[in-house]
Amino acid sequence: MAQVPTAFFVARRDDGFGDVYPLHAGAALSLGRAPTNRVVVRDDLASREHAEVFSADGEWRVRDLGSLNGTHLNGERLRADKPLRPLDEVRVGRARFVFVEAMDQLPDVPKPSPAPAAKNDGIEIRKRLGQTRFQDGDSTAAGAPEPETTHAEPRVSPQQAVAVLYRLALDMAAAPGAAELGALAADALFRATPADVVVVQALREGRELDLLVHRTRGGRPDTYHKVSAYVSGEVLASRQAVLAENVSAQTALANRDSLTELQAASLICAPVGCGDQLLGLLHLYRTGKSTPLNGDDLEFTLAVARQFGTVWHRLARQANLSAENRSLRAQLRLESELVGASAPLEKIEQQIARVAETKATVLVRGESGVGKELVARAVHMSSPRREAPFICINCAALTETLLESELFGHEKGAFTGATERLVGKFEAADRGTIFLDEIGEMALSTQAKFLRVLEGHPFERVGGNTQIKVDVRVVAATNRPLEEAVRAGTFRRDLFYRLQVVQLDVPPLRDRADDVPLLAEHFLKKFARETGRKMRGFTPAALDKLKAYRWPGNVRELRNVIERAVALGTGPQVDAPDIWLCELDAGAPVVGEALASGGSYRAETIEEVEKRHILATLNHTDWNKSRAAAILGIERSTLDRKIERYKFAKE
């Protein structure tokens, strides 16, 4: 004897009801696109195994089987198993089913003209859509011919629609902004749908909508009328695209709704967004009564809106990253600015401002540790080249062969150890600035090649024969008297004149003593932030000690003293005992200071003074070259060359 059904699952259509599926206790009813299901839903929005209806604890329940687009019960997406009650509606893809416990519970079959799903201001929303078949990935007709905008029948086949979407993706990849993206989207919609008007609105803060694009078919001029606030509100609330037909033209609405001014016969509105972020709305209007907008047009519009939203979101993200990058560069620039308010420093800053806008080669001169690289960086950051690279290289830190390779690059196999091609600093700094510190230590052979590059000639990598031409501004620095080197024949005269187009003389720290407290505070904040120490300011005794010192190592020495104080200090402020000053220079007069105080004068060159001072430093450190180089404020390699040059020997 056949089992009596306890309930029924009935397919619902716009014109009534379709197939009836009896439900038997203990037997589940499966729904999906696969032919193995009891209810086969032939819909591309349905998953192969989409949902099932089953009995449990004396009641019928519905369960989603992990479908892509979800199962909806009475319009709400299922998050868990739900019990079914008579006349509950279950939606799987586009297919709808009604649950009843007896067939007489079914309502009367509706008349051929169905009631609208929603009404307001004479508008009937006939269809809502949250997904589109164009994003299923099943279409393979990207190579189909693209229709022309002026085609006699605007609506296109699905294969042609995919071709339009493909072309739109290529065009959007090169669009610079949201307005250009909106114009491309409008052109695509005109190609594939019979829409007469396309409007793009951007969503601002406070859910306000601003007009971004207004286009009409054929590009004819037309007055812009505000879009329907009701339709916009519906789409913003549901985040689903809607198709509205039977837009009323009643006289009572003529002065209330702009849709009647547009004489819209049908419309589509789709949300434009990416993920959970809503960026705007896409409106389509068809003013002619023939060929109204339909469900296929809604599908295509939603696909365009999704593509539009993805690229729009990417552009907005790039703009935010660019703004953040500019902010970080501004912070970096602040970190690199010269610190101080003394008259000598203001003079240097004024000279930097004047020379930065030119292309002139700059020679920065000053004692070791005064901040010559900082001046060079300030020249670069104040120039039109600020967005291009700023590359530094210390000529004294490399041998002759390595320096040439670093400056001009080398080819693979050019010399032993050249296992791959190296791009030189000049090539890497193209359109930017290269800073050559201790230029006086450059070998004569390298000076000749360097001079040709300065004069605008191309160069070749070491071991190569390809001519390379670059646009690089050169800023050089030295603490040596280049004039003496020219007379001694260790520095080319023509290169000296070529470098000294603009000379910036950086004053030593003892000549701008007013800047010592400002610099000390600057370095204290920097190192306290880096180390996490909560040290704030200096005690009066500490400031007095800093001001009284003559700083032979200049700003570099002050920086190191403050870094040491932060690292070893224990109190909330830097105190005098925290400030450790070099015993070699503490209380010793700076070169020339004894003369100013009335000491005896002895005629000698700067080279002789340097030679005597270096030898005294070496003897003081018992020939500890690393310590002596630190006291002198020069590189260890520079000290080795000076020892060889002056033919020093340990006694």
Side-chain angles (χ1 to χ4, degrees):
M1 183 175 179
Q3 188 177 5
V4 177
T6 60
F8 301 91
F9 212 52
V10 185
R12 186 165 194 167
R13 302 195 308 238
D14 290 340
D15 58 351
F17 298 97
D19 295 337
V20 177
Y21 302 93
L23 301 176
H24 301 278
L29 180 75
S30 60
L31 302 92
R33 205 172 68 243
T36 54
N37 291 286
R38 185 177 169 192
V39 180
V40 179
V41 181
R42 304 185 185 281
D43 188 340
D44 51 5
L45 295 184
S47 299
R48 293 184 59 81
E49 307 293 339
H50 197 107
E52 67 175 355
V53 178
F54 62 98
S55 61
D57 299 329
E59 63 180 0
W60 286 96
R61 305 177 70 87
V62 61
R63 171 188 297 160
D64 181 76
L65 299 178
S67 62
L68 178 63
N69 296 311
T71 303
H72 294 76
L73 176 62
N74 297 327
E76 294 185 4
R77 184 165 182 164
L78 285 178
R79 304 297 179 187
D81 300 350
K82 293 285 186 181
L84 290 171
R85 301 289 180 260
L87 300 183
D88 278 353
E89 182 178 278
V90 177
R91 179 162 62 85
V92 174
R94 300 181 185 86
R96 296 174 295 161
F97 302 90
V98 177
F99 172 81
V100 292
E101 294 176 342
M103 292 300 294
D104 57 8
Q105 292 177 337
L106 287 174
D108 294 335
V109 176
K111 295 181 179 180
S113 179
K119 288 187 177 182
N120 190 292
D121 286 352
I123 302 170
E124 296 182 0
I125 296 179
R126 300 287 295 161
K127 189 172 184 179
R128 299 179 185 268
L129 193 61
Q131 297 288 337
T132 169
R133 66 172 181 267
F134 291 109
Q135 293 181 319
D136 260 6
D138 297 334
S139 301
T140 58
E146 182 180 339
E148 297 293 334
T149 306
T150 57
H151 197 280
E153 173 55 61
R155 188 171 289 118
V156 297
S157 66
Q159 291 80 8
Q160 291 173 316
V162 172
V164 175
L165 288 174
Y166 177 73
R167 172 66 179 274
L168 178 62
L170 296 179
D171 293 340
M172 281 186 168
E180 291 79 7
L181 288 175
L184 291 172
D187 290 340
L189 291 166
F190 285 140
R191 291 191 190 100
T193 73
D196 295 312
V197 179
V198 175
V199 175
V200 180
Q201 291 179 299
L203 184 63
R204 306 301 183 193
E205 294 183 3
R207 296 183 70 85
E208 294 183 1
L209 292 166
D210 294 339
L211 176 65
L212 189 66
V213 174
H214 172 238
R215 300 283 292 272
T216 56
R217 180 171 291 278
R220 63 178 185 273
D222 199 358
T223 302
Y224 170 68
H225 300 281
K226 287 186 177 181
V227 297
S228 170
Y230 164 66
V231 174
S232 299
E234 285 288 305
V235 175
L236 288 175
S238 65
R239 297 202 173 192
Q240 290 185 320
V242 300
L243 166 66
E245 297 176 348
N246 193 25
V247 178
S248 176
Q250 300 177 28
T251 306
L253 299 174
N255 296 325
R256 293 199 305 119
D257 199 333
S258 60
L259 291 173
T260 56
E261 297 177 18
L262 277 168
Q263 297 181 347
S266 56
L267 66 87
I268 288 173
C269 182
V272 179
C274 181
D276 295 332
Q277 184 178 1
L278 191 61
L279 301 173
L281 298 177
L282 196 58
H283 294 265
L284 278 70
Y285 295 96
R286 175 68 175 168
T287 56
K289 294 184 179 179
S290 61
T291 321
L293 298 171
N294 63 13
D296 291 335
D297 301 322
L298 181 63
E299 293 266 4
F300 182 81
T301 302
L302 185 58
V304 170
R306 293 284 173 83
Q307 193 165 301
F308 182 12
T310 300
V311 183
W312 191 354
H313 179 266
R314 186 199 63 190
L315 286 178
R317 186 170 180 270
Q318 287 178 345
N320 291 335
L321 289 175
S322 297
E324 183 179 355
N325 185 40
R326 287 193 296 271
S327 175
L328 290 174
R329 291 177 72 94
Q331 293 178 24
L332 179 61
R333 184 178 179 185
L334 289 175
E335 287 288 333
S336 302
E337 284 182 347
L338 299 170
V339 177
S342 62
L345 187 64
E346 288 182 359
K347 181 180 178 181
I348 284 292
E349 290 176 336
Q350 292 170 2
Q351 292 174 338
I352 290 172
R354 288 196 298 270
V355 75
E357 297 299 323
T358 70
K359 296 182 179 180
T361 303
V362 179
L363 179 62
V364 184
R365 306 186 74 164
E367 296 178 8
S368 179
V370 294
K372 295 186 290 295
E373 181 178 340
L374 208 61
V375 171
R377 190 178 296 275
V379 171
H380 172 74
M381 295 302 295
S382 302
S383 73
R385 300 170 181 262
R386 65 178 64 91
E387 301 296 332
F390 176 79
I391 294 180
C392 304
I393 186 168
N394 190 326
C395 300
L398 301 169
T399 64
E400 178 181 344
T401 304
L402 286 178
L403 178 60
E404 185 174 353
S405 175
E406 283 291 317
L407 286 175
F408 308 113
H410 64 249
E411 298 291 345
K412 181 178 180 180
F415 50 84
T416 303
T419 57
E420 58 185 16
R421 172 186 287 181
L422 173 70
V423 174
K425 302 299 185 185
F426 267 102
E427 195 173 348
D430 190 26
R431 300 185 182 278
T433 304
I434 186 169
F435 173 60
L436 301 175
D437 197 8
E438 297 198 49
I439 188 70
E441 304 297 329
M442 183 180 289
L444 282 170
S445 59
T446 308
Q447 291 177 28
K449 191 171 183 179
F450 173 50
L451 177 60
R452 285 188 56 81
V453 178
L454 273 182
E455 292 175 343
H457 296 287
F459 62 90
E460 299 173 356
R461 299 190 187 99
V462 177
N465 53 16
T466 303
Q467 295 286 309
I468 302 171
K469 190 174 179 62
V470 295
D471 174 20
V472 175
R473 181 181 197 164
V474 173
V475 180
T478 181
N479 60 1
R480 283 187 57 188
L482 291 182
E483 294 84 354
E484 295 294 331
V486 171
R487 296 189 190 101
T490 58
F491 199 84
R492 293 178 62 103
R493 183 180 298 271
D494 48 2
L495 177 58
F496 172 74
Y497 292 133
R498 187 65 183 83
L499 286 173
Q500 204 177 25
V501 176
V502 175
Q503 179 171 307
L504 298 179
D505 294 308
V506 185
L509 188 55
R510 62 181 175 275
D511 290 347
R512 50 189 186 104
D514 293 342
D515 291 336
V516 171
L518 298 175
L519 285 165
E521 187 69 29
H522 170 76
F523 290 132
L524 176 62
K525 291 179 179 178
K526 172 182 172 62
F527 294 122
R529 183 171 62 250
E530 291 179 357
T531 59
R533 299 290 179 87
K534 300 188 180 300
M535 303 181 75
R536 298 291 184 269
F538 298 83
T539 64
L543 286 176
D544 291 340
K545 188 173 182 179
L546 291 173
K547 293 176 183 178
Y549 189 58
R550 302 301 292 167
W551 300 109
N554 292 294
V555 179
R556 181 187 291 121
E557 184 182 6
L558 174 60
R559 181 185 187 276
N560 295 339
V561 167
I562 301 302
E563 183 176 10
R564 185 186 300 112
V566 172
L568 300 179
T570 57
Q573 288 183 304
V574 176
D575 202 356
D578 299 325
I579 298 174
W580 183 87
L581 301 175
C582 179
E583 296 179 359
L584 175 66
D585 298 307
V590 180
V591 175
E593 190 172 326
L595 301 180
S597 61
S600 61
Y601 172 77
R602 188 174 69 177
E604 58 183 343
T605 65
I606 294 179
E607 184 174 356
E608 291 173 336
V609 173
E610 181 185 58
K611 179 179 179 180
R612 189 176 68 253
H613 183 60
I614 292 176
L615 184 57
T617 305
L618 287 169
N619 290 331
H620 173 79
T621 60
D622 196 21
W623 279 75
N624 185 325
K625 295 181 181 179
S626 297
R627 186 180 171 195
I631 293 173
L632 293 169
I634 60 177
E635 299 287 341
R636 165 68 182 270
S637 57
T638 304
L639 178 60
D640 288 334
R641 280 194 293 274
K642 291 183 182 296
I643 292 173
E644 182 180 357
R645 175 184 174 188
Y646 294 136
K647 295 181 172 49
F648 288 148
K650 186 176 181 181
E651 296 179 357

